[in-house]
Amino acid sequence: MSTSPTTSTWAAGDYPAMARLLVPAAERAVAAAGTGSGTTVLDVGCGTGNAALAAALTGADVTAVDPTPELLAIAARRARASNLPITFRDTDADRLTGTYDRVLTVFGAMYAPDAARAAAALTRCVAPGGLLVSAAWTPNGFMAAAQRATGPYLPAPPAGARPPTRWGDEGFLRGLFPGHRITVTTEHVTFTFPSPRAAADFWVRTAGHVQVEAGRLRAAGTWQALHDDLAAVFTAWNRNSPPGPAPVRVEASYLLAVIRPTDASTRGGRDHD
């Protein structure tokens, strides 16, 4: 069982509330993968199970992995409630085993500390003739802007750490999977809130990496400033016309990639970190 500080932060906030808003992206990824009866599927970084459940509903034989036990427990409860026989495992993205017709990672593997190792593990798990589908937030989209707003209030990332959103950059992704046949599209998740303040409050409540710093930020007198800076991001990205105090609608872009390994690409790769 994984007990690293990185995985524990995912359980610190109300991530399930955020995950419910990401269901359309998971369903889009499953549709791109073309799962169905008789198809074996691996969902990597499954979180609360959005993609795993969507794939299982198509009749696929699904295995879902995540390094956060608390999120796996939620995903398992959802599967039982829907009578879907999904296998769940506590596993990091760079320690995958087995082979599957379809490998999915929807805002999952992008958070792996070592992108090259995670990419190699994903590739190893794709059966001959199979494919990998990745969904990752783009580096120039709303999610990156929200991260930039919270970054100054949080501890500095470890030395050498790279932003997860690089998985949402087509050039980086093609370099991460050399020799693969890759098709990409830019998709969006739409978030709506009654006001920028309500949006910021939701963001902070659901973000475990922010919640673990709440006591320190309150003591430092910067907790409200964090909310204010996030509310300003939602105001700046509000796509309602004309913009107003309510409601707020923002579109978070993500790169949806369908990755087909070739014989040559499965024999090796290179380090990108």
Side-chain angles (χ1 to χ4, degrees):
M1 178 178 294
S2 177
T3 57
S4 70
T6 300
T7 60
S8 65
T9 60
W10 287 98
D14 187 9
Y15 180 73
M18 171 64 76
R20 286 192 287 273
L21 303 185
L22 305 183
V23 169
E27 293 176 340
R28 178 71 184 87
V30 169
T35 66
S37 180
T39 306
T40 56
V41 174
L42 177 65
D43 180 16
V44 179
C46 68
T48 60
N50 286 346
L53 269 69
L57 285 170
T58 69
D61 179 4
V62 180
T63 298
V65 302
D66 197 280
T68 305
E70 295 88 345
L71 299 185
L72 279 175
I74 294 170
R77 286 198 296 271
R78 293 180 64 196
R80 288 194 298 270
S82 299
N83 197 31
L84 295 172
I86 300 171
T87 299
F88 293 97
R89 295 176 183 163
D90 181 348
T91 304
D92 291 306
D94 58 359
R95 298 180 179 177
L96 306 173
T97 59
T99 55
Y100 303 83
D101 300 319
R102 302 290 186 269
V103 176
L104 307 173
T105 180
V106 181
F107 314 125
M110 62 183 287
Y111 293 104
D114 189 320
R117 286 184 60 186
L122 292 168
T123 300
R124 285 197 306 269
C125 288
V126 180
L131 56 83
L132 161 67
V133 174
S134 167
W137 303 116
T138 61
N140 59 351
F142 170 79
M143 285 297 197
Q147 185 62 43
R148 287 193 294 271
T150 60
Y153 297 92
L154 304 176
R162 304 284 297 279
T165 53
R166 59 195 171 143
W167 283 69
D169 177 82
E170 181 179 350
F172 176 82
L173 198 71
R174 290 188 182 279
L176 197 60
F177 295 94
H180 294 56
R181 298 190 303 276
I182 302 176
T183 303
V184 301
T185 58
T186 300
E187 310 284 346
H188 299 84
V189 173
T190 300
F191 300 106
T192 59
F193 298 96
S195 69
R197 174 62 55 189
D201 290 345
F202 175 86
W203 223 251
V204 170
R205 175 171 61 85
T206 59
H209 65 296
V210 176
Q211 285 297 316
V212 296
E213 300 295 329
R216 178 182 63 81
L217 294 175
R218 288 191 175 99
T222 56
W223 185 242
Q224 187 58 52
L226 167 62
H227 286 71
D228 292 343
D229 285 354
L230 269 174
V233 172
F234 277 94
T235 297
W237 283 75
N238 187 8
R239 296 181 65 88
N240 277 340
S241 182
V248 169
R249 177 175 64 88
V250 299
E251 293 184 355
S253 60
Y254 66 93
L255 191 76
L256 182 67
V258 178
I259 304 167
R260 294 175 171 84
T262 63
D263 290 342
S265 66
T266 59
R267 289 196 291 268
R270 60 180 187 267
D271 191 355
H272 299 273
D273 283 349

